[in-house]
Amino acid sequence: MLGEGIVKGLAETARNFIGSYVEEERLTTVEYPEERLPAKEAARNFPFLVFDGDDPHAGLRCVACQICEKECPPQCIYIEKSKDKKPDYVDKPQLYPTIFDIDLSVCMSCQICVEVCPFEAIKMDTEFELSNTDRFEGLLARKAGLAKSNDYYRQIHPTEAADVDARLAAEKAKVEAKAKAAATPPASAPAPPAPVPPASKAAEPAPRRDPPA
């Protein structure tokens, strides 16, 4: 029927308008900023960098592989590698970014950087109150501002963070078990049994000779 969609939309609006006087769940308008709706776990806005522990530098998971920089469609990520290395979560020496910038005025929140990162180092944030009067420097997120703890990641994406933690813990345990096996000297092989000497043969009697006739 022509206009059926419009009629359905108006009916839903009327149902919410009238119901808002008697049912709290019909109150679709939130008095922001005094009232705020909790963000959905799957919500995403702009990326941030995850670090483990309390030190954003020592615990930063990013190893400056630059895959996210290369795969970013709007090319809003800029990374410079370090000259030295630091141990990662499995104590393997890795490079790290000395510069990691994201131009939020260009980022389109596509999450491709998250999907291509092999180190679970970059995730999507749910923070959206980022308005700024400086349209240039104010919208350029640098490494210090992008680095957020794994505890924060667990807070905004608990299910996803739990899966990532379990996977990284299993990988770390595997690496530690391999290193332990390599450090343990192999057990010495048991000595072969001594050969059994052959049984001595009894002396055979000399052949009998008949005297000459």
Side-chain angles (χ1 to χ4, degrees):
M1 183 180 74
L2 183 63
E4 182 180 0
I6 297 177
V7 173
K8 288 182 178 180
L10 291 174
E12 183 65 23
T13 302
R15 192 159 45 245
N16 286 325
F17 174 73
I18 298 171
S20 64
Y21 288 94
V22 293
E23 299 177 20
E24 187 175 354
E25 58 267 19
R26 292 288 183 179
L27 292 172
T28 57
T29 302
V30 175
E31 296 295 331
Y32 179 85
E34 289 78 13
E35 298 179 18
R36 300 165 187 258
L37 291 175
K40 304 291 184 182
E41 183 174 354
R44 68 174 190 250
N45 196 17
F46 294 120
F48 70 95
L49 299 175
V50 184
F51 69 87
D52 297 300
D54 300 323
D55 189 342
H57 173 71
L60 196 67
R61 294 179 182 176
C62 179
V63 299
C65 65
Q66 297 180 297
I67 294 177
C68 58
E69 181 183 34
K70 296 172 183 175
E71 297 295 330
C72 178
Q75 297 293 292
C76 66
I77 300 176
Y78 176 72
I79 301 172
E80 283 190 9
K81 292 183 180 181
S82 62
K83 303 299 182 183
D84 58 330
K85 295 184 178 182
K86 67 177 183 65
D88 63 2
Y89 68 101
V90 292
D91 294 328
K92 180 180 179 181
Q94 296 279 12
L95 296 171
Y96 60 90
T98 56
I99 296 177
F100 195 116
D101 296 340
I102 298 180
D103 189 347
L104 301 183
S105 66
V106 179
C107 177
M108 60 185 189
S109 304
C110 64
Q111 196 174 283
I112 290 178
C113 56
V114 177
E115 295 172 358
V116 300
C117 178
F119 300 97
E120 305 290 354
I122 187 167
K123 300 296 176 182
M124 299 303 289
D125 207 342
T126 57
E127 185 180 0
F128 60 89
E129 295 174 312
L130 301 171
S131 59
N132 199 293
T133 56
D134 186 353
R135 59 180 295 189
F136 299 106
E137 186 68 23
L139 293 176
L140 183 62
R142 302 191 182 276
K143 185 177 77 169
L146 290 170
K148 296 185 179 181
S149 68
N150 192 39
D151 292 335
Y152 175 79
Y153 177 40
R154 293 193 195 105
Q155 179 183 348
I156 62 173
H157 299 302
T159 305
E160 179 184 311
D163 293 341
V164 171
D165 287 345
R167 186 162 57 252
L168 292 180
E171 183 179 342
K172 184 176 182 179
K174 184 178 179 180
V175 171
E176 290 176 348
K178 186 176 180 180
K180 184 177 180 180
T184 303
S188 57
V196 179
S200 58
K201 295 182 179 180
E204 296 181 359
R208 179 180 178 182
R209 294 183 180 181
D210 296 329

